[in-house]
Amino acid sequence: MKTKKIEQVLTPPAPHMVGDGFRVHNFIPYGKGMSMERMSPFIMMDYNSKFYFSPTDELRGVGVHPHRGFETVTIAYKGKVAHHDSSGNSGVIGEGDVQWMTAASGILHKEYHEEQFSKEGGDFQMVQLWVNLPAKDKMTKPKYQGIINSEINKHKLPNGDGIIEVIAGEYNGTPGTATTFTPVNLFNAKLNKGATATFNFPANHNSALLVIEGSISVNDSENVPADNFLLFANEGEEFTIKASEDSIVLILSGEPINEPIVAHGPFVMNTQEEIIQAFDDVNMGRFGYLE
């Protein structure tokens, strides 16, 4: 098994606000080499690194907005976020939970800090990924997977080294909890200090990791501290991480969707004509209704 080559390690870019509730670093797309195509099927990653929000009676977040052509995956590490959409889905996720929303043919959506969390304030830390859909699935019916942490399948590492939470895909025989349209592996590696874990993904799959907490070394060569993003080259299949301290690492890998990407704001389609149609459909009320 050939070792995966490390392409680059990215420090967090300057944060910006999404609405008034999400203070994020945008890792995908980012800089010269990190286009939507480079990390397909992952076409966007916003990382809300740990940030303290003061108590308020106002619900901070993002108001009603449309989506079409992809999925949003929100992984909660600290704090609580609530959401509603025009398909009638709603939910709250807290520490360790995942919200996997398939916008597909189109929905209206809003997301905001959960009411009690807003009133009490506290540390807030989340990742939101946009996962592209292939052309044949872009206009399928929207759906929602609200996955609480107890429902996420967990692979125990030997010697009490920690666990791998298998959100999607498969790790050493443990299947992921979420269903996906294309091959995607999405894990939380929760490792105790000194623990190691090895991962294997096809060489042509786009693979990366984000250190959520702690610090790690990768392939006994590259030290990666918290809040840094490591991109693997499309060479080799195997890599090993070792926790320099108690650590949480988000691992992502997926088969690229080799189709044109035309993105404009909240829409990700294959042609400019489809983008224009999406705007027309929103304006005509075809995405439903949401206050």
Side-chain angles (χ1 to χ4, degrees), residues 54-265:
S54 59
T56 178
D57 289 329
E58 301 293 325
L59 296 181
R60 299 184 179 103
V62 182
V64 177
H65 57 282
H67 287 306
R68 172 177 279 181
F70 62 98
E71 304 180 284
T72 67
V73 181
T74 305
I75 306 168
Y77 295 98
K78 297 287 184 184
K80 289 184 177 181
V81 66
H83 98 113
H84 280 82
D85 69 42
S86 56
S87 291
N89 297 308
S90 64
V92 175
I93 58 168
E95 188 168 331
D97 302 339
V98 176
Q99 173 190 294
W100 197 299
M101 186 192 73
T102 304
S105 61
I107 60 168
L108 302 178
H109 184 237
K110 63 179 180 179
E111 49 204 327
Y112 45 92
H113 294 188
E114 183 267 339
E115 184 175 3
Q116 194 62 35
F117 173 80
S118 295
K119 288 180 177 179
E120 295 176 358
D123 287 336
F124 192 84
Q125 186 177 24
M126 305 257 168
V127 167
Q128 185 171 95
L129 288 162
W130 287 11
V131 180
N132 201 11
L133 292 172
K136 68 181 180 65
D137 296 316
K138 282 187 178 292
M139 295 299 288
T140 55
K141 185 180 179 181
K143 68 173 185 174
Y144 173 71
Q145 302 174 75
I147 307 169
I148 60 174
N149 189 262
S150 61
E151 296 172 345
I152 298 174
N153 294 330
K154 299 169 180 68
H155 183 93
K156 290 185 179 180
L157 297 171
N159 307 314
D161 280 352
I163 59 170
I164 309 297
E165 295 181 343
V166 189
I167 299 168
E170 182 267 337
Y171 181 79
N172 286 2
T174 300
T177 303
T179 60
T180 65
F181 286 81
T182 61
V184 168
N185 287 288
L186 192 61
F187 311 148
N188 273 321
K190 297 185 173 181
L191 306 180
N192 298 322
K193 181 179 179 180
T196 62
T198 299
F199 302 85
N200 294 282
F201 303 124
N204 70 312
H205 286 203
N206 292 324
S207 304
L209 60 80
L210 173 67
V211 181
I212 303 293
E213 191 174 297
S215 60
I216 62 170
S217 64
V218 181
N219 294 339
D220 292 323
S221 63
E222 188 79 42
N223 294 317
V224 188
D227 303 333
N228 278 228
F229 180 94
L230 183 147
L231 174 67
F232 289 99
N234 296 103
E235 299 177 32
E237 299 83 26
E238 183 175 279
F239 65 91
T240 298
I241 63 176
K242 182 176 181 178
S244 308
E245 54 189 306
D246 291 353
S247 299
I248 300 174
V249 185
L250 178 64
I251 311 285
L252 54 155
S253 182
E255 182 178 72
I257 300 171
N258 293 315
E259 297 174 350
I261 297 174
V262 180
H264 191 104

